[in-house]
Amino acid sequence: MHTMSTYKLVYFPVRGRGESIRLLLKDNKIDYEEENCRDGWVEKYKPQMPLGQVPLLCDGDYKLSQSCAILRYLARKHDLYGSDVKEQGLMDMICDGSEDLRSKYQTMIYTNYENGKQPYIAKLPAELEKFEKLLSKNNGGQTYMVGDK
Ligand SMILES: CCCCC[C@H](O)/C=C/[C@H]1[C@@H](SC[C@H](NC(=O)CC[C@H](N)C(=O)O)C(=O)NCC(=O)O)CC(=O)[C@@H]1C/C=C\CCCC(=O)O
């Protein structure tokens, strides 16, 4: 018997802002289906999006956009969002910090690829080291940056 997926993720066929959502779902064995919005984006999909952009998560009739809001929604719903407000605060810090890094990457690839690529790569180890340091502080770096789930 075919059981319907609980969630539908609408996104382009790239990693981009969809990949962290896919990873959360797959890592936690949460069933979902994906809809590729590339064909017909402007005329069909974009007008249906709450803020005119993807990724979009559909949970039945409930529709949510903004990648970080989707991650937080899924984390809250599946008890992955830290066990107290301090853990949740740290998770928000890491999520927003990686968003800052990602925004710089996006600006570079879309507006200044030729001149911006090498400087971006040169700064990357120092940026990633901050996240590695956070990871190493929790359980000797063997599990997660925050908590144990
Ligand atoms: C093969 C088709 C490629 C189509 C690419 C697409 O145009 C670009 C996607 C890049 C965007 S995500 C899509 C964008 N949404 C947002 O910017 C949401 C921001 C919001 N704050 C959030 O959800 O976090 C969107 O809807 N654009 C269309 C529009 O009309 O506005 C940012 C990316 O990361 C996407 C791709 C960038 C690089 C791809 C690199 C290769 C890879 O990762 O696989």
Side-chain angles (χ1 to χ4, degrees), residues 112-126:
N112 188 27
Y113 184 71
E114 289 305 320
N115 295 322
K117 184 180 170 185
Q118 282 314 324
Y120 183 89
I121 290 173
K123 285 184 196 149
L124 209 46

Side-chain angles (χ1 to χ4, degrees), residues 1 5 14 25 37 55 73 76 99-100 106 120 127 138 147:
M1 189 178 79
S5 292
V14 293
L25 291 163
C37 61
Y73 173 75
R76 289 186 186 107
E99 180 57 24
D100 283 353
Q106 194 174 329
Y120 183 89
E127 293 294 333
N138 188 35

